[in-house]
Amino acid sequence: MRVTIRDVARAAGVSVTTVSRALNGAQDVGEETRQRVIEVAKQLNYRPSHVARSLVLRKSQNIGLLVSDFRKGGHHFLYDVLVGVHDTLAEYGYDVTLVSTDTARQQLVSYVDFCRARGLDGVIVTGIRLDDPYVEEVVESTLPSVVIDLPLLSRHCGYVMTDNVNGARYAVRRLVSRGCRRIGFVNGAAHAAVSRERLRGFEEAVRQYVGVYDDRLVVYGDFTLEGGQRALAELLARAPDVDGVFFASDLMAIGGLQHCRAAGIRVPEDLAVVGFDDIDLARFVTPALTTIAQPRYEMGCEAAKMLVHMLEKGEMPSGTLLPPQLVVRETA
Amino acid sequence: MRVTIRDVARAAGVSVTTVSRALNGAQDVGEETRQRVIEVAKQLNYRPSHVARSLVLRKSQNIGLLVSDFRKGGHHFLYDVLVGVHDTLAEYGYDVTLVSTDTARQQLVSYVDFCRARGLDGVIVTGIRLDDPYVEEVVESTLPSVVIDLPLLSRHCGYVMTDNVNGARYAVRRLVSRGCRRIGFVNGAAHAAVSRERLRGFEEAVRQYVGVYDDRLVVYGDFTLEGGQRALAELLARAPDVDGVFFASDLMAIGGLQHCRAAGIRVPEDLAVVGFDDIDLARFVTPALTTIAQPRYEMGCEAAKMLVHMLEKGEMPSGTLLPPQLVVRETA
DNA sequence: TTGCGTTTCCAAAACGTTTTCGGTTATAGT
DNA sequence: ACTATAACCGAAAACGTTTTGGAAACGCAA
């Protein structure tokens, strides 16, 4: 059936030991036998079994991508992260298998046990929140992991996220440079770590660039389109003189845009708007949304890179912030 | 280190054979010992090694998701398919590992060898085209596979795709019911299988619903935004009297919308438009795009289901068409 | 007592690798 | 000629499971 190392050994007239050595580039095998083995292996189209190899080596060259909100129609975010992770992991010779918290939960096992049963060497965690029951597991477990978009740091757990405070700063700087002086902030869910950071950046920046900070100008829209509409309406009711607003997500910003159209508010003349994320939609809505782009793909790459460094070089996990980028379109 | 079946056996005072049997629900083990073994296993938090199991069983309960255009910012299509695949595969107890044609190609192995080396039980193939070098491999190989969005059928290879000809029919039916009589078609890339089918559906439907068919009303925009703009311009130049147009993708349709705005054409009053895909953007552009929705998630589910039926029940692969759905918004 | 079937259990082989430890040559040094 | 060293190679154990082919114990009929 399958062609094994034994078949190659037989065909090449050597032992399996020698075949293994020859193919893996070990040193103590004669150059001519090595060539012969390689030749024979190619002839037979021999592919070493990753499974057998994993068993004996006790590592699988396989890492899990844990996603905790794996829903259809879901996250614009996840896809780019996923291909970033896959690309760089493939480069390092690792496979990636999908792990959903739902299926783990359904089987009543912790996700760590889930990964261990499959012999995964490590895991990249996406989509979890501060109040998630999983965060404890992530930081406690000895399974090497790196978390995306949540600052969790421990002996075996690093993180990578975008520099949210600077992102927020860029946003208000842009608004100020366009002449805005009363700047509002529609933040996302209050318990999200990113919300806290964006708020901090926002506050720092308005203190620095406009001088006076008024915390009644921040409202919450919990990251949804409708939330954005509602929040902007509330903000405007509270302070009709705001001339610019920063939304903590593009989706909310688009909701805000819809409110503006309905209310006859001209964007950007009456009200300048900048979002956060740079989702696909942003360039297509009218007026096109200026926003702070998150380096989604790069976050995936960086997370993957950190994980294999931990695995192969024994590096300590760390926290890395990736720079966001202002992309200027029509709304500010 | 790791707790193995041997540890459980020792702790329960039985042989490993008995532990294996007890845990896997085999018949010849006493009820009381079974309970004891289960109890001990739980106590020790024992998880059978999937790797070891795969080795001896010669199947991994792991299937590959082959994607051939895995790029950042990529396919809206892929994500939903992916979660559909993952969801139903998880239900059946399978894992899914990502396989990109790029990495396989980079390692100079056929993707089948790639999968075999990893012991994957089967593979779901997405994103390949008729002129792809992989199609031969897919149909020839004995690795069970099911292809999404390309009608490839052989001994070990089935497919699932959306019913494109009916999708096209729905589109023109809608257009006709709004009073359109001169209907144009902006098709995608000519070599794509889906393009052929949509064209067929288009022609059949206009023959049926409006009577006269004019093949000068079909142009090609190769699935891009710019292509859609260009193609619509060309179509309008060729036949200024068209009052409705069906685009073979939402992206092209949106391009068309942009052209209309630039040219001062009112949609849907002067020109009715229906797209294909129902991408996220569709509901956000103005006017909101009427379109034919593809059941992306369901395609993933269906593909997964077919594959495990092939694997577990020895069913023959088949071709299944999933019904698309007209979603009416503002452009038609 | 013997024979036979059932039930419950186990020892050992197998799956396809890597690696340890040692063995055989050939080469070189005295 | 004898030893020391190096270079090359192989037998066998290990990784953690499942499964095969019996074996022990027991009951029951002859």
Side-chain angles (χ1 to χ4, degrees), chain B residues 89-165:
Chain B
L89 244 24
E91 216 163 277
Y92 284 110
Y94 284 77
D95 294 336
V96 14
T97 105
L98 263 25
V99 180
S100 150
T101 56
D102 291 343
T103 63
R105 187 155 19 213
Q106 190 179 349
Q107 295 175 21
L108 298 172
V109 298
S110 77
Y111 89 90
V112 175
D113 285 342
F114 192 91
C115 292
R116 280 209 199 290
R118 283 154 182 76
L120 301 179
D121 295 338
V123 57
I124 289 176
V125 181
T126 72
I128 71 170
R129 294 278 151 89
L130 227 34
D131 56 354
D132 221 297
Y134 284 98
V135 309
E136 189 190 2
E137 209 177 335
V138 174
V139 305
E140 310 268 276
S141 110
T142 70
L143 181 68
S145 60
V146 5
V147 181
I148 285 182
D149 238 13
L150 195 67
L152 256 34
L153 201 53
S154 74
R155 186 77 184 70
H156 299 99
C157 163
Y159 68 89
V160 10
M161 52 191 309
T162 104
D163 185 345
N164 286 291
V165 355

Side-chain angles (χ1 to χ4, degrees), chain A residues 48-309:
Chain A
S49 156
H50 283 219
V51 172
R53 202 203 295 264
S54 297
L55 186 60
V56 53
L57 258 18
R58 264 108 125 250
K59 52 183 178 176
S60 58
Q61 295 286 104
N62 193 333
I63 84 102
L65 184 64
L66 181 76
V67 5
S68 83
D69 53 354
F70 213 29
R71 275 184 264 292
K72 64 182 274 200
H75 243 340
H76 53 282
F77 203 87
L78 197 51
Y79 185 83
D80 284 344
V81 170
L82 192 146
V83 0
V85 166
H86 173 88
D87 281 1
T88 98
L89 244 23
E91 218 163 273
Y92 284 111
Y94 285 78
D95 294 336
V96 14
T97 103
L98 263 24
V99 181
S100 149
T101 56
D102 292 341
T103 63
R105 187 158 17 216
Q106 191 180 350
Q107 296 175 22
L108 297 172
V109 299
S110 78
Y111 89 89
V112 174
D113 285 341
F114 192 90
C115 293
R116 282 210 197 289
R118 283 153 182 77
L120 301 179
D121 295 337
V123 56
I124 289 176
V125 180
T126 73
I128 72 170
R129 295 279 152 89
L130 227 34
D131 56 353
D132 221 296
Y134 284 99
V135 309
E136 190 190 2
E137 208 177 335
V138 173
V139 304
E140 309 270 273
S141 109
T142 69
L143 181 68
S145 61
V146 6
V147 181
I148 285 182
D149 239 13
L150 195 67
L152 257 33
L153 199 54
S154 74
R155 186 78 182 71
H156 299 99
C157 162
Y159 68 88
V160 10
M161 52 190 311
T162 103
D163 185 345
N164 285 292
V165 355
N166 266 315
R169 295 178 62 92
Y170 297 164
V172 345
R173 195 169 62 185
R174 171 67 188 176
L175 256 10
V176 168
S177 81
R178 287 192 97 257
C180 300
R181 283 294 169 267
R182 278 287 272 176
I183 301 181
F185 178 31
V186 176
N187 205 349
H191 64 273
V194 297
S195 297
R196 297 222 257 271
E197 298 175 357
R198 287 170 199 174
L199 177 58
R200 188 152 67 83
F202 175 76
E203 176 170 352
E204 287 180 12
V206 319
R207 286 201 195 283
Q208 172 178 356
Y209 295 123
V210 343
V212 11
Y213 177 74
D214 180 354
D215 65 7
R216 290 172 325 162
L217 297 191
V218 358
V219 293
Y220 285 82
D222 93 333
F223 289 126
T224 68
L225 186 94
E226 295 76 15
Q229 292 177 316
R230 225 177 16 240
L232 181 59
E234 180 188 341
L235 176 65
L236 256 24
R238 199 184 288 181
D241 59 335
V242 305
D243 50 7
V245 26
F246 168 44
F247 289 82
S249 84
D250 282 354
L251 211 52
M252 293 194 298
I254 290 170
L257 256 31
Q258 292 180 347
H259 173 80
C260 288
R261 181 161 41 226
I265 300 168
R266 292 172 309 161
V267 175
E269 295 82 359
D270 301 334
L271 187 74
V273 166
V274 6
F276 204 104
D277 277 352
D278 194 24
I279 63 180
D280 291 348
L281 281 173
R283 36 187 294 252
F284 289 103
V285 291
T286 49
L289 186 64
T290 97
T291 189
I292 306 295
Q294 295 204 58
R296 302 188 281 265
Y297 178 82
E298 289 76 10
M299 289 170 74
C301 297
E302 206 55 42
K305 193 151 53 160
M306 187 189 297
L307 191 53
V308 333
H309 285 354

Side-chain angles (χ1 to χ4, degrees), chain B residues 48-250:
Chain B
S49 157
H50 283 219
V51 172
R53 200 202 295 265
S54 297
L55 186 58
V56 54
L57 258 19
R58 264 107 125 249
K59 54 183 175 175
S60 58
Q61 296 286 101
N62 194 332
I63 85 100
L65 183 65
L66 183 76
V67 6
S68 84
D69 52 355
F70 212 29
R71 273 184 266 291
K72 64 180 274 198
H75 242 337
H76 54 280
F77 203 88
L78 197 51
Y79 185 84
D80 285 342
V81 170
L82 192 147
V83 0
V85 166
H86 173 88
D87 281 0
T88 99
L89 244 24
E91 216 163 277
Y92 284 110
Y94 284 77
D95 294 336
V96 14
T97 105
L98 263 25
V99 180
S100 150
T101 56
D102 291 343
T103 63
R105 187 155 19 213
Q106 190 179 349
Q107 295 175 21
L108 298 172
V109 298
S110 77
Y111 89 90
V112 175
D113 285 342
F114 192 91
C115 292
R116 280 209 199 290
R118 283 154 182 76
L120 301 179
D121 295 338
V123 57
I124 289 176
V125 181
T126 72
I128 71 170
R129 294 278 151 89
L130 227 34
D131 56 354
D132 221 297
Y134 284 98
V135 309
E136 189 190 2
E137 209 177 335
V138 174
V139 305
E140 310 268 276
S141 110
T142 70
L143 181 68
S145 60
V146 5
V147 181
I148 285 182
D149 238 13
L150 195 67
L152 256 34
L153 201 53
S154 74
R155 186 77 184 70
H156 299 99
C157 163
Y159 68 89
V160 10
M161 52 191 309
T162 104
D163 185 345
N164 286 291
V165 355
N166 267 316
R169 294 180 64 92
Y170 297 163
V172 345
R173 197 169 59 186
R174 171 68 188 174
L175 257 9
V176 168
S177 79
R178 287 193 98 260
C180 300
R181 283 294 167 270
R182 278 287 271 177
I183 300 181
F185 179 32
V186 176
N187 205 350
H191 63 274
V194 296
S195 297
R196 297 222 258 270
E197 299 175 357
R198 288 170 198 174
L199 177 59
R200 188 152 66 83
F202 175 77
E203 176 170 352
E204 287 180 12
V206 321
R207 284 199 196 285
Q208 173 178 353
Y209 295 121
V210 343
V212 9
Y213 177 74
D214 181 355
D215 65 7
R216 290 172 326 161
L217 297 191
V218 359
V219 293
Y220 286 82
D222 92 331
F223 288 126
T224 67
L225 185 94
E226 296 75 15
Q229 292 177 315
R230 225 178 16 242
L232 180 60
E234 181 187 341
L235 176 64
L236 256 24
R238 200 185 287 181
D241 60 336
V242 305
D243 50 8
V245 25
F246 168 45
F247 289 82
S249 85
D250 282 355

